Amino acid sequence: MSRLKLSTTSWTTQTAFIMAATGSAVGLGNLWKFPYITGENGGGAFVLVYLLCVLLIGLPVLIAEITLGRRGGANPPQALSNLAKESKASKWWWLLGLNGLLAGCLILSFYTVIAGWGVAYFFESLSGDFINISAKSVSTNFSSLIANPWQLAFWHTVAMLITVYIVSKGVKGGLEKAVNIMMPGLFIILLILLGYAASTDAFAESFHFLFYPDFSKLTWQGVLVAMGHAFFTLSVGMGTMMVYGSYLSKDYSIPRAGLWIALIDTLVALIAGLVIFSVVFANHLHAGSGPGLLFQTLPVAFGKMSGGWFFGTLFFALVVLAALSSAISLIEPAASWLEQNWGIKRLKATVILGLLTWVLGLGTVLSFNEWKSVHFIGDRTLFDSLDFLTTNIMLPLGGLLMAVFVAWVMTQQQRDDEMEMPSPWKDFYRNVLKFITPTAILIVFIYNLL
Ligand code: PFF
């Protein structure tokens, strides 16, 4: 870890960086996970805690992570090694980068399984299966999909192959162009769906569920989930934003980029929540039904609305694209590490990583059927364990250490150089990153250990 290896690629434009970073942030976490964890944790109060976590923990760490990437100028382990050298800090900081690479591969292993559900639904919607479908049939349809390991493995393979193919082509050529079209597209479709949801009788109930906090429904477990999700949804704590930041030119304001990414990401999650809960309540479905929520509600809505075949198919296409633009970013830190530090060609690097994560993903596939009652961490299935380990432990731990590095190890001069934060915000940001962010993460951690 002593050589100074620098990222040689850079984004074509600054907007390309925003689009790619937003492409990474906006994904299954917004469209699939946020609605279902909100449903499981009772709505409004959870959403409020989540918003606070994004503002006080997620956003500061996001800005810190991009800063580390741009100043470190390389893949996460190398960037941290470079920065530690610059600051004369311990050389062991590179392990923080390694934690990120590992977390990325673990997340990817289950991410492509869920993305696979999206691919399956895209084809079902395309073939007209959802036209006039009842809520009950959708639910049966979903149960039989996840009960069938062969089918799940097939779609998981499809999602992984596409991911590996795109990453092997490099970030710039494929991803950059794709996200520039995908992200506005996703936003337009979401707004159309919001319009549809607003026209249903259940919209008010959905709005109430999301935005009127009932603190009696909030548990400490819920706070932990909200914090973990703030990291997950913004793609922070694992090095994606670091490696993307290493491709960012010096003349762009990192705080401004961070604000945009967090704002768009949060809006997408809230709109997705409003849409999904409108459908849930309109069809008397159960808000806390868990990971199947998105897949058991939207087909019902599409089946009923005029033009539903078109919008439904388009929506699931966008779920897939949003998932893929995130999946790519999960593998990018590890791919660039293998490339920059180990001299392995990108194609070979992504195939190796794809193969390893694909095999691990088969465990997640089985956790929905054959291994349903096999428990790993506590009473969690393999899927739940991987999700818990990465989202609630590895990402927050990564985020905590990144905050510590930027706030305590880097000097004010270095921070000023890199971030160009406007004066009134500079001290505020430093104090949040120095005290509030680490304390919040630690409190939740300790609770978690107890
Ligand atoms: N932010 C993505 C989502 O919300 O779906 C998931 C993710 C992507 C997490 C990339 C972490 C990451 F590095």
Side-chain angles (χ1 to χ4, degrees), residues 24-30 107 111 231-236 238 240 265 326 329-330 395:
S24 169
V26 173
L28 293 170
N30 307 64
I107 295 174
Y111 206 82
F231 281 96
F232 186 84
T233 192
L234 292 178
S235 303
V236 294
M238 56 145 281
T240 280
D265 187 75
S326 299
S329 75
L330 281 160
L395 298 190

Side-chain angles (χ1 to χ4, degrees), residues 177-215:
K177 281 185 202 132
V179 289
N180 279 335
I181 303 165
M182 273 153 44
M183 299 321 290
L186 177 71
F187 214 68
I188 291 167
I189 295 291
L190 262 183
L191 287 181
I192 293 170
L193 288 171
L194 179 66
Y196 163 76
S199 72
T200 66
D201 293 341
F203 187 72
E205 196 182 339
S206 170
F207 194 87
H208 191 273
F209 182 70
L210 280 179
F211 297 114
Y212 286 78
D214 173 357
F215 286 97

Side-chain angles (χ1 to χ4, degrees), residues 232-282:
F232 186 84
T233 192
L234 292 178
S235 303
V236 294
M238 56 145 281
T240 280
M241 293 300 176
M242 214 187 278
V243 82
Y244 277 16
S246 79
Y247 308 143
L248 181 64
S249 66
K250 288 282 177 205
D251 47 358
Y252 197 55
S253 154
I254 292 177
R256 186 172 336 131
L259 273 175
W260 272 115
I261 298 164
L263 186 73
I264 297 174
D265 187 75
T266 305
L267 277 177
V268 171
L270 293 177
I271 294 174
L274 275 173
V275 170
I276 288 170
F277 288 114
S278 296
V279 180
V280 168
F281 296 137

Side-chain angles (χ1 to χ4, degrees), residues 3-83:
R3 292 151 303 164
L4 207 77
K5 294 223 168 138
L6 302 178
S7 293
T8 46
T9 344
S10 66
W11 304 106
T12 321
T13 61
Q14 290 157 352
T15 327
F17 165 72
I18 296 288
M19 282 298 172
T22 312
S24 169
V26 173
L28 293 170
N30 307 64
L31 306 176
W32 160 72
K33 199 170 179 185
F34 172 72
Y36 97 70
I37 56 176
T38 301
E40 282 182 336
N41 288 284
F46 175 82
V47 173
L48 194 68
V49 173
Y50 163 74
L51 291 177
L52 278 178
C53 287
V54 166
L55 203 67
L56 291 178
I57 308 176
L59 178 61
V61 178
L62 173 64
I63 293 173
E65 184 168 338
I66 302 173
T67 304
L68 289 174
R70 186 162 79 180
R71 197 163 184 91
N75 64 79
Q78 188 61 51
L80 283 155
S81 165
N82 295 346
L83 290 164

